[in-house]
Amino acid sequence: MSSWQKYPWIALVAARSNLAYWGDVASRFIFLGVVLYIFLRLWQVTYAQMGAAELGGFTLAQMLWYLVITESITLSGPRVAQAVDEDVRTGVLSVQLVRPMSYPLFRLSTTMGERLVRFVMNLLVGSVVALVFVGPIKLEGAGCLIFLLSVPAAFILDFLTNFSIGLGAFWLEDTSGLLLIYSRLTMILGGMLLPLELFPDWLQPVLKALPFSSVIYGPAHLLVHPDWSAWADLAIRQLSFILVLSLFVAFLYRTALKRVFSNGG
Amino acid sequence: MSNAVKVEKLAKVFEFNKGRGFSKTRVETTAVDRISFEVPEGQSLAFIGPNGAGKSTTIKMLTGILRPTSGEAEVLSLVPWRQRNKLSRLIGAVFGQRSQLWYHLPPRDTFELLSRIYELDRSQYLRRSDMLIERFALASFLDTPVRKLSLGQRMRAEVAASLLHQPRIVFLDEPTIGLDVVARQELRDVIREWNREEGVTIFLTSHDAGDIESVSRRVIVINHGRIVLDDKISNMRRRYLSSKVLNIKFHDEHSEVAVNGVTVLKSTGYALKLEVDCQVVGMEEVLHHVVNAGSVADITIEDPPLEEVIAHIYGQAGSSEAAENVEVS
């Protein structure tokens, strides 16, 4: 068996473990439903007040579907940074090092396994909410395909950032502040609450160039406004960010391991 | 017989900063101080010491997680910190306070996953897991999520999981912590059997004297980074047990026994419990006094529990050496 085959297995087990606890799953569904309903009412009022059929190129239905995607992506995120932080502080990391596997790849696998399952379920629940309240929007097969292609890359990108923050536990007393900043930036600048089109014109290119939008806005926008060139653009940005962040994580992890080897973590 | 572990003058010095700003100084603490020992393959060794003695530091160096400051070590002919990945397939580890089982899933799933992580041959894995399931009596709860298992069941599954890839050495760190008396005994029995029948080398750390006594034949006591005792368990008892405990029952009221070297632990109307320091007074003389004290119905002579022996060794080592913190500015 090739040594790479163990990682999909880790992802599979992580996914199953995530499904095992239905109370947790259900509470996430309820939260997602409530959030989407609140957004729907807010946007209904906004569209009515503005007397506009479209805002930033989004109809009300498109806006809600956009939010279904951004919320599904955001709420599917496992607590990677906290898990890594905990592994470092409690010494579980050294237990993992006694196994013939790479710890970063182990964490990437558990994250992807968990996240893909949660994302698909969020998407199902979100779609039901959207269908009930605003009905379907026009989707194209190609649009769905490029959307699905962009999601795993978004997850890997998000993982790399979270993993780096978790490794911060080697140097910082508390990484939760860092995590809070990152997650809020992703929510606001990444386009979770509103599409980037609604930001001031001068700010939009800046926001699109930042990695946050490649995680959330990019994929969600592709589903609502499918466009091959936009996809190619996003893919290039995602891949470059992944490359840069991978190098950063590799460097950070090596430095951290040196600390483990000399100081025992 | 070849050696599973060979350690020579192994030392680890930790450096860290003390204080802040201008008063910041570099402090060195010697966690492990040039220890040497060998463990033949198949032996069951208890590696014990008080908290902070250097046990985990040594284990971390032997499993390749920590690089020593100086000295040599070979585990199964590999240098752990240079060949960690290769070594990881030959050793198993159980940390009593850190579970390797997936909490929401049944133990079977973790077994399956471990077979993938260790890249085990499918048929070999199946044979092996069947054997472990039977020997560790896991069948009844193999498909129950770990969160619903009792701690005793969980620990049996933990130990079995660490044996799946047929390690030649198993590091057991506090395997019975928190277990009740029965579960503790069951786990010890199965570990001992496994050691005797499969010839796997056991490297046990525990604060529980019962674990040490029932699993291991040899004991290394480490304190302040140095080996203070390396001997067979039976010898340790003999060497450090200069005292005996006497329980005497009388047919009627007895008079007091006052002999130099004898401490009265308990004295009631018909019974007497004495601790005898055999280096001060001979057993024969004590018995003579006892018989004179009243009409004896029954006598038992016991060794003090191993726990006391260990406490005694820790205490001795602690009084002769102070903690070494060297400031290098």
Side-chain angles (χ1 to χ4, degrees):
Chain A
M1 189 190 286
S2 123
S3 63
W4 284 96
Q5 281 174 340
K6 63 183 76 165
Y7 297 107
W9 265 97
I10 295 172
L12 192 72
V13 169
R16 290 190 45 199
S17 166
N18 208 252
L19 283 170
Y21 208 54
W22 278 102
D24 191 35
V25 175
S27 68
R28 279 202 301 268
F29 285 170
I30 293 167
F31 183 70
L32 177 66
V34 171
V35 165
L36 285 175
Y37 182 73
I38 293 171
F39 274 128
L40 171 75
R41 305 302 286 184
L42 282 173
W43 284 112
Q44 273 176 338
V45 174
T46 313
Y47 275 85
Q49 290 284 319
M50 305 283 285
E54 279 190 12
L55 287 174
F58 288 75
T59 63
L60 179 63
Q62 282 176 327
M63 187 63 84
L64 191 67
W65 278 97
Y66 173 86
L67 290 170
V68 167
I69 309 297
T70 62
E71 289 295 338
S72 298
I73 291 177
T74 309
L75 293 178
S76 66
R79 300 160 50 88
V80 187
Q82 292 96 324
V84 176
D85 182 296
E86 216 177 288
D87 283 354
V88 172
R89 285 184 208 285
T90 58
V92 171
L93 179 60
S94 40
V95 179
Q96 303 282 18
L97 290 176
V98 190
R99 306 243 175 83
M101 63 177 186
S102 142
Y103 177 71
L105 288 179
F106 167 75
R107 276 284 162 220
L108 175 64
S109 310
T110 57
T111 306
M112 293 304 273
E114 271 181 46
R115 193 160 196 179
L116 286 173
V117 169
R118 286 195 195 182
F119 175 70
V120 169
M121 292 197 305
N122 284 348
L123 203 57
L124 288 176
V125 173
S127 304
V128 171
V129 174
L131 281 174
V132 168
F133 289 107
V134 296
I137 52 167
K138 210 173 122 246
L139 289 177
E140 294 165 33
C144 294
L145 178 72
I146 57 178
F147 160 70
L148 288 177
L149 285 175
S150 68
V151 169
F155 289 169
I156 293 175
L157 184 53
D158 194 36
F159 164 79
L160 290 170
T161 329
N162 272 287
F163 189 77
S164 318
I165 293 172
L167 282 184
F170 276 103
W171 297 275
L172 303 170
E173 272 173 35
D174 187 4
T175 58
S176 61
L178 217 54
L179 182 65
L180 200 68
I181 294 173
Y182 170 72
S183 67
R184 296 312 116 141
L185 283 178
T186 316
M187 285 178 191
I188 298 162
L189 305 182
M192 184 193 88
L193 297 172
L194 20 146
L196 299 189
E197 279 80 358
L198 296 182
F199 283 86
D201 285 340
W202 61 269
L203 195 57
Q204 288 183 28
V206 181
L207 294 184
K208 282 185 189 168
L210 289 173
F212 312 111
S213 64
S214 295
V215 178
I216 297 188
Y217 165 81
H221 189 258
L222 277 180
L223 185 79
V224 182
H225 296 294
D227 176 14
W228 283 101
S229 75
W231 173 73
D233 196 43
L234 176 66
I236 288 169
R237 260 183 292 130
Q238 282 180 331
L239 292 178
S240 341
F241 284 130
I242 287 175
L243 186 71
V244 172
L245 276 171
S246 300
L247 291 173
F248 177 67
V249 164
F251 166 75
L252 204 63
Y253 184 65
R254 281 172 81 102
T255 319
L257 271 198
K258 268 189 203 145
R259 268 178 95 93
V260 175
F261 289 144
S262 65
N263 272 330
Chain B
M1 206 188 295
S2 63
N3 279 322
V5 179
K6 198 176 158 192
V7 171
E8 214 173 308
K9 293 191 182 129
L10 195 68
K12 180 72 201 176
V13 179
F14 289 120
E15 287 184 19
F16 54 92
N17 292 323
K18 205 176 173 182
R20 281 177 181 277
F22 290 116
S23 63
K24 194 154 100 175
T25 44
R26 202 88 179 127
V27 176
E28 285 186 357
T29 302
T30 307
V32 175
D33 194 2
R34 287 160 296 163
I35 59 171
S36 305
F37 64 90
E38 286 173 5
V39 185
E41 225 170 296
Q43 193 174 57
S44 173
L45 169 78
F47 191 71
I48 63 171
N51 293 330
K55 294 185 307 271
S56 355
T57 308
T58 309
I59 289 182
K60 279 183 178 169
M61 289 192 278
L62 294 181
T63 47
I65 300 166
L66 204 56
R67 217 169 247 283
T69 313
S70 65
E72 307 287 328
E74 269 186 17
V75 177
L76 302 167
S77 309
L78 298 171
V79 179
W81 50 92
R82 284 197 205 107
Q83 292 156 294
R84 179 164 54 89
N85 207 19
K86 210 167 164 189
L87 183 66
S88 69
R89 290 167 203 276
L90 304 176
I91 59 173
V94 176
F95 299 88
Q97 284 152 313
R98 291 164 198 157
S99 178
Q100 59 176 333
L101 301 171
W102 285 69
Y103 189 63
H104 292 304
L105 298 177
R108 192 192 289 279
D109 287 7
T110 302
F111 282 23
E112 278 286 334
L113 182 61
L114 284 171
S115 82
R116 260 80 190 190
I117 288 177
Y118 284 97
E119 297 158 39
L120 304 180
D121 174 74
R122 195 73 197 147
S123 62
Q124 226 176 353
Y125 157 68
L126 290 173
R127 264 205 312 276
R128 181 81 176 171
S129 68
D130 282 350
M131 180 162 90
L132 286 164
I133 289 162
E134 196 214 311
R135 292 280 290 281
F136 282 75
L138 308 178
S140 62
F141 57 86
L142 198 63
D143 293 306
T144 311
V146 172
R147 65 168 188 274
K148 292 182 184 161
L149 302 185
S150 74
L151 190 58
Q153 293 173 325
R154 212 198 77 194
M155 285 314 298
R156 288 217 301 276
E158 293 274 0
V159 176
S162 75
L163 295 169
L164 267 178
H165 60 289
Q166 307 206 14
R168 284 162 58 197
I169 301 185
V170 180
F171 292 90
L172 299 169
D173 187 5
E174 299 275 354
T176 62
I177 198 161
L179 296 188
D180 66 50
V181 186
V182 179
R184 198 172 277 219
Q185 202 52 51
E186 280 173 358
L187 190 64
R188 286 170 188 160
D189 288 348
V190 76
I191 293 172
R192 188 181 52 226
E193 262 177 48
W194 201 262
N195 163 251
R196 300 216 171 130
E197 286 164 27
E198 300 284 317
V200 59
T201 311
I202 304 272
F203 205 101
L204 168 82
T205 44
S206 179
H207 288 296
D208 187 310
D211 285 358
I212 297 161
E213 205 166 18
S214 55
V215 173
S216 312
R217 291 191 171 171
R218 174 183 168 195
V219 61
I220 289 182
V221 182
I222 181 170
N223 202 353
H224 300 299
R226 290 191 191 149
I227 291 177
V228 292
L229 180 91
D230 179 354
D231 211 336
K232 281 188 187 163
I233 302 258
S234 49
N235 287 349
M236 172 166 92
R237 265 185 182 287
R238 227 169 294 139
R239 226 166 89 186
Y240 284 85
L241 289 185
S242 53
S243 66
K244 299 265 178 192
V245 174
L246 256 66
N247 273 302
I248 309 125
K249 285 203 178 92
F250 295 93
H251 283 123
D252 40 45
E253 299 251 333
H254 61 84
S255 57
E256 290 307 313
V257 175
V259 189
N260 201 13
V262 174
T263 321
V264 179
L265 298 176
K266 209 169 149 191
S267 173
T268 56
Y270 286 81
L272 197 56
K273 191 173 183 181
L274 305 174
E275 189 185 333
V276 180
D277 187 340
C278 301
Q279 282 176 335
V280 176
V281 60
M283 191 52 83
E284 199 182 350
E285 195 189 333
V286 178
L287 288 176
H288 181 72
H289 279 91
V290 166
V291 173
N292 285 340
S295 160
V296 175
D298 188 19
I299 287 192
T300 54
I301 304 178
E302 292 166 7
D303 287 334
L306 188 64
E307 234 160 67
E308 270 174 37
V309 182
I310 292 170
H312 177 72
I313 297 170
Y314 286 2
Q316 251 188 357
S319 60
S320 62
E321 287 169 38
E324 286 173 54
N325 273 12
V326 192
E327 299 215 348
V328 263
S329 80

